[in-house]
Amino acid sequence: LPNDGTIKKFTQECKISILQQGNITWRYKHSNNNYQFYFPITTSLFLRTLIIIWVDTSDTNAQNNAETLKEMANDLHKQERYKEAIDVYSKSIELNPTATYYGNRSAAYLKLSRFNYALDDATKAIEIDKAYSKGYTRRADANMALEQYSLALEDYMQAKRIDSNNTRLSALITKCQELLPKHSNCLSIN
């Protein structure tokens, strides 16, 4: 194993038959460095995709490792492999919890319609960085899906205050404002 303090990705992916879903972690100590082999396994019909990530778990490299993992997760997200992306985002969060990593995992949860998880991650992203507009947008998207239109509107408006040039936010605010009165009429008690 190289001792250069960086993450090494095994880009080869293989399909394996496995009966149960889960994560397998192997730890390996080399010289003064601890390495961790992490295997997130997600369902894909009867096969599971095995992604092998080699992580230098020494504290000095956590930030670089987390960033490399985030890039790998972003690639999985672009390939619409959201469950695998969530696994890898989770590993980057474990190494270095940032608003961006939580925000990206929130986006993957949204794609899988896991709105409460998306909401939780977006809230964590906002707690870490109150100026992270995507955190507010993702939380608003989750609230829209959960039909919490007033909460969604608040977050879209906050995101727009942070990112005033974002035209997508203007359209989302308008859509939310249109849904809000219809939804409040359904809940009103006579």
Side-chain angles (χ1 to χ4, degrees), residues 160-172:
K160 185 69 173 169
R161 283 190 283 276
I162 295 166
D163 187 5
S164 59
N165 294 326
N166 188 329
T167 55
R168 178 179 176 262
L169 286 171
S170 299
L172 290 169

Side-chain angles (χ1 to χ4, degrees), residues 12 42 47 131:
Q12 312 92 332
T42 57
L47 297 176

Side-chain angles (χ1 to χ4, degrees), residues 50-81:
L50 180 65
I51 301 171
I52 303 170
I53 307 164
W54 175 14
V55 180
D56 177 352
T57 59
S58 64
D59 289 339
T60 56
N61 295 309
Q63 191 171 8
N64 290 338
N65 291 342
E67 187 62 24
T68 302
L69 287 170
K70 181 202 71 158
E71 291 169 13
M72 183 179 189
N74 286 350
D75 289 341
L76 291 166
H77 192 277
K78 288 175 191 168
Q79 296 170 30
E80 299 181 3
R81 295 166 62 182

Side-chain angles (χ1 to χ4, degrees), residues 11 37 44 52 70 102 106 112 123 128-129 138 167 179 184:
T11 55
F37 295 86
S44 175
I52 303 170
K70 181 202 71 158
Y102 276 110
S106 176
L112 293 174
T123 299
I128 292 169
D129 182 358
R138 301 227 166 96
T167 55
L179 290 170
S184 1

Side-chain angles (χ1 to χ4, degrees), residues 101-147:
Y101 302 162
Y102 276 110
N104 288 359
R105 190 172 71 179
S106 176
Y109 280 130
L110 285 168
K111 292 291 189 177
L112 293 174
S113 300
R114 297 178 72 181
F115 304 120
N116 287 317
Y117 288 108
L119 188 69
D120 290 344
D121 274 0
T123 299
K124 287 176 189 168
I126 294 165
E127 288 169 1
I128 292 169
D129 182 358
K130 300 221 182 302
Y132 181 59
S133 68
K134 287 183 181 179
Y136 292 99
T137 303
R138 301 227 166 96
R139 188 166 72 179
D141 291 344
N143 275 318
M144 284 288 283
L146 295 168
E147 297 182 357

Side-chain angles (χ1 to χ4, degrees), residues 1-2 6-10 35-37 52-56:
L1 296 173
T6 60
I7 276 187
K8 301 296 178 193
K9 291 188 283 186
F10 290 86
Y35 296 94
Q36 181 172 315
F37 295 86
I52 303 170
I53 307 164
W54 175 14
V55 180
D56 177 352

Side-chain angles (χ1 to χ4, degrees), residues 74-100:
N74 286 350
D75 289 341
L76 291 166
H77 192 277
K78 288 175 191 168
Q79 296 170 30
E80 299 181 3
R81 295 166 62 182
Y82 303 118
K83 289 180 182 178
E84 294 152 311
I86 288 167
D87 288 337
V88 180
Y89 285 132
S90 296
K91 199 62 176 166
S92 67
I93 289 168
E94 192 178 304
L95 292 171
N96 185 30
T98 69
T100 301

Side-chain angles (χ1 to χ4, degrees), residues 12-18 42-51 81 84:
Q12 312 92 332
E13 293 180 349
C14 55
K15 300 282 184 183
I16 60 168
S17 290
I18 227 168
T42 57
T43 306
S44 175
L45 297 175
F46 295 104
L47 297 176
R48 308 301 195 263
T49 302
L50 180 65
I51 301 171
R81 295 166 62 182
E84 294 152 311

